[in-house]
Amino acid sequence: MGFLRPHTERIYALLRIMAGLMFMQHGLQKLFGLFGGVPPGAPAFVVYGAGIIEFLGGALVALGLFAGPAAFICSGTMAFAFFLGHVVPNGGNLIPIANQGELAALYCFVFLYIAARGSGIWSVDGARRGTPRT
């Protein structure tokens, strides 16, 4: 797919922004009851602990403000959510398609990539250090 190579930085920026915004919606759901409300039976540490990380972490990633550290925390949160919310209740089943943990696993690895790569273009961090906005 060489035809996309010239657009790599912009595509990465879109991935970072969209992943952050979508993750932030999970926090808005838990903290403020938006988008269908708080998941029924969710314990307080999920509502407030994960909700705050999802909302603030998602916003920081989307803005590209301290995106690396924020994404690292978001990645760890999703790894924890995958095991606690999908593996343990399903008898130790580690297969995401079988334990319905695909979204948690995908977020975990997308955020791990963002943590490794950093904010990139179209970001507050990039603007602060003078990164070109191509």
Side-chain angles (χ1 to χ4, degrees):
M1 293 283 183
F3 72 95
L4 291 175
R5 192 164 291 121
H7 308 287
T8 301
E9 292 301 317
R10 289 182 287 279
I11 292 168
Y12 171 70
L14 290 172
L15 171 71
R16 176 185 50 78
I17 292 164
M18 291 308 300
L21 290 174
M22 290 189 299
F23 199 59
M24 192 174 76
Q25 290 176 30
H26 289 278
L28 288 169
Q29 180 186 35
K30 288 178 181 76
L31 296 174
F32 304 109
L34 301 175
F35 312 118
V38 179
F45 79 91
V46 169
V47 172
Y48 299 108
I52 289 169
I53 291 170
E54 289 167 350
F55 177 67
L56 290 178
L60 290 172
V61 168
L63 290 169
L65 178 61
F66 308 115
F72 186 74
I73 292 168
C74 293
S75 176
T77 301
M78 287 296 93
F80 184 75
F82 176 74
F83 285 101
L84 185 67
H86 299 281
V87 173
V88 172
N90 287 288
N93 187 336
L94 290 169
I95 310 296
I97 194 74
N99 67 24
Q100 286 115 33
E102 306 98 323
L103 187 59
L106 184 61
Y107 269 131
C108 177
F109 286 99
V110 167
F111 285 127
L112 187 60
Y113 178 65
I114 293 169
R117 179 125 184 225
S119 296
I121 65 168
W122 302 346
S123 66
V124 173
D125 289 341
R128 290 187 340 190
R129 67 178 170 267
T131 301
R133 290 176 265 150
T134 50

